[in-house]
Structure formats: structure tokens, C-alpha cells
Amino acid sequence: MRVRETARGWTAVWLVVLALVQTAAFLVVWRFALHTELGQWLDTVALTGNRIGQDTIDGPVNTILNAMSVVSLLVATAVIGFIALIRGRKALAVTATLLIAGANVSTQLLKYVLTRPDFGVDPERAAAGNSLPSGHTAIAASVAVALILVLPRKVRVLGAFLGVAYAAAAGVATLSAGWHRPSDAVAAFLVVGVWAALAGLVLLVFQRERAQFSSADSHRVAVAVLAVGGLLAVVACGLALTWLLGYRDIAAAELGRRPLFVGYAGSAAGIVGTMALVAALVLTSVHRLVPRVKG
């Protein structure tokens, strides 16, 4: 019993650390992207670069984005809750539902509360104001993370990779369609990551004493693939944005094809990498939060 309580305590500490780290990351993204001229310029370069090859990807992008609505979110939430219930996990069904609701409601509240100062970097969209975090991206990411929690261990990894692919595609699609800046999608992923950590704490609180988990269910290989792949994508994004600094004195609308493409592709890599890292963090502890035997 003492060993179990110790493991449970360390899991709780890990989840608190994850919540704090992702909150801090969100604050850094918010401060840099919205309240610095350089951050706004980099976002604008990426958003301007979306016109490269837009005719080719316009169809798939619209298909992805049009599939996300309040109705589709409610349907997805109901399906996720149903999966948990047929597994006999009532607490998991409620927690997964709260994760989705909390992430999406807080995303909309943040979008309303946060302001975007006008530094004259993006006059074309200045009147639109703040768009961080991205609501569409939050929908996709929250459903993907909730799916990781409720799926049985045998199909959890497959669900994780499909969820990451879908959420990452949604984030990039908002950029490709010109709906959102890359920082909006990254911020949305971090909001979902914070809610995932909080959901994990709730599951720990309601976990029964007789619950049994196995280290064999820890999905180490999948975590490593997502973490390494995500980290490489984020590093590629950092290198691309660093290269762009040589053009920082030029307005985004006046840049040539090459820097615009680097800004767009690098930002897309950052979006994909962030979602992969968030999913990897969820997978590291899901076997302890949703044990093999609930008790």
C-alpha cells in the first residue's frame, strides 16, 4: 500500500509540474506573439506565406475546418463519454467531458480577454484584433487528448497517433486558410495540455485503492517517437524563425517567396511539434491515471 501511495504521489507531482510548465509556456507565447513587434512580425510572415500553393491545398483545408463545429464537438464528446462508460469507467467519462468543455470554454474566454496591441506590423488584419488561442485547434486537440484517456490500452497508441495527426492538421489548416496565426494554434495546444494535466489530477483523486496498473502499459516507444519527433519539429521551427531575423526590417507584404515559405513551413513545423509533445506528455502517465484494473 505504501508503494502504491508513493507512486500515486509522484504521479500527482508530475501532473502539477506539467500544468505549471505548460501554463508558463502559454504565457511566453502570449507575451512574445502579442506584445512584441518581432513576435507579431514573425506571425504575420507565416500568415502571409500561406498563399504559396494555397490553390492546391484549399480543398483539404476547407474540409478539415468545416468538419469542426459546435455540433461535431458535442457528437465527439458524446462518443468519448460512451467509450468510457462501456468500459465501466464513470469517473473517466465525466473527467474526459470536463476536459473537453474546460479547454474549449477557457479558449474562448482567453480570446475575449486577451488584447493584441497594434504595432503597425499587420495593418490588413489590425481591425480583427486578437485571435489567440485558436478555437478550431482547441476543439481538435481536446478531442484527441480525451480520446487518448478513454481508449483501451491495446488501441491507445493508434488513437494517440491518429489524434495527433488530426489536431496538428487542424492547427496547420487554420494557418493555411488564413484564419489564425501560428501562435494561436500553439497556444491552443498548451491550453489543452494544461487541462489534460488537471484532468489527470481529478482521475487520481477518484482512483480506487484496489486499482492496479502495470509498467508494461506505459507506451514508452510511442512516447519516445512523439517526444523526439515533436522536439525535432520545434527545433526546425526555431531554426527557421532564427533565419528569418535577417529580414526583420522588411514588411511581411514585401518579402520574397523564399522567406515567406520558410516562415510558413517553419511555423507549421512548430504547430505539429507542439501537438506531438503535448500528446507525449499525456501518454507518459495515462497508464497510471487509467489503470488496467480499476479496482
Side-chain angles (χ1 to χ4, degrees):
M1 184 66 68
R2 184 176 301 172
V3 172
R4 171 174 168 72
E5 289 302 319
T6 300
R8 198 177 189 175
W10 279 114
T11 302
V13 170
W14 169 247
L15 292 171
V16 170
V17 170
L18 288 185
L20 293 175
V21 168
Q22 291 178 101
T23 299
F26 174 88
L27 292 174
V28 170
V29 171
W30 159 70
R31 184 68 183 176
F32 179 70
L34 267 62
H35 291 272
T36 69
E37 187 174 344
L38 177 59
Q40 288 196 10
W41 180 81
L42 289 171
D43 259 352
T44 304
V45 171
L47 195 54
T48 305
N50 73 348
R51 65 193 182 200
I52 300 175
Q54 192 171 39
D55 293 340
T56 304
I57 63 173
D58 204 32
V61 164
N62 288 331
T63 299
I64 293 173
L65 295 178
N66 291 334
M68 284 178 283
S69 63
V70 174
V71 174
S72 63
L73 177 61
L74 292 175
V75 171
T77 303
V79 170
I80 286 170
F82 178 72
I83 292 173
L85 288 175
I86 61 175
R87 296 183 61 201
R89 313 268 181 152
K90 296 179 182 178
L92 179 58
V94 174
T95 304
T97 301
L98 290 176
L99 186 163
I100 294 173
N104 286 282
V105 170
S106 59
T107 293
Q108 296 303 321
L109 289 176
L110 286 168
K111 194 195 300 268
Y112 178 78
V113 172
L114 300 179
T115 58
R116 180 183 178 86
D118 183 11
F119 295 130
V121 174
D122 189 11
E124 181 182 344
R125 303 176 185 87
N130 174 56
S131 56
L132 181 149
S134 164
H136 281 77
T137 306
I139 288 175
S142 60
V143 169
V145 169
L147 196 62
I148 293 173
L149 292 178
V150 303
L151 284 176
R153 65 184 186 279
K154 292 182 179 179
V155 294
R156 185 178 291 146
V157 170
L158 175 61
F161 280 100
L162 291 176
V164 168
Y166 173 65
V172 175
T174 62
L175 173 63
S176 299
W179 290 11
H180 281 283
R181 304 170 179 91
S183 61
D184 299 349
V186 170
F189 290 147
L190 294 172
V191 169
V192 172
V194 172
W195 276 96
L198 296 177
L201 289 171
V202 172
L203 289 173
L204 276 183
V205 170
F206 289 99
Q207 195 173 97
R208 298 178 182 178
E209 295 297 333
R210 299 187 303 276
Q212 299 175 17
F213 57 82
S214 172
S215 58
D217 299 331
S218 58
H219 312 296
R220 291 190 181 94
V221 174
V223 169
V225 170
L226 287 171
V228 173
L231 186 59
L232 289 175
V234 171
V235 169
C237 173
L239 292 174
L241 298 185
T242 300
W243 181 83
L244 278 175
L245 294 181
Y247 296 86
R248 63 183 300 178
D249 295 327
I250 304 175
E254 299 174 4
L255 288 172
R257 183 182 180 88
R258 185 181 181 188
L260 288 177
F261 177 77
V262 169
Y264 171 77
S267 296
I271 292 172
V272 174
T274 303
M275 183 59 210
L277 290 173
V278 168
L281 293 175
V282 174
L283 272 179
T284 57
S285 55
V286 67
H287 68 291
R288 292 183 179 273
L289 304 177
V290 187
R292 178 179 296 195
V293 178
K294 67 175 183 176

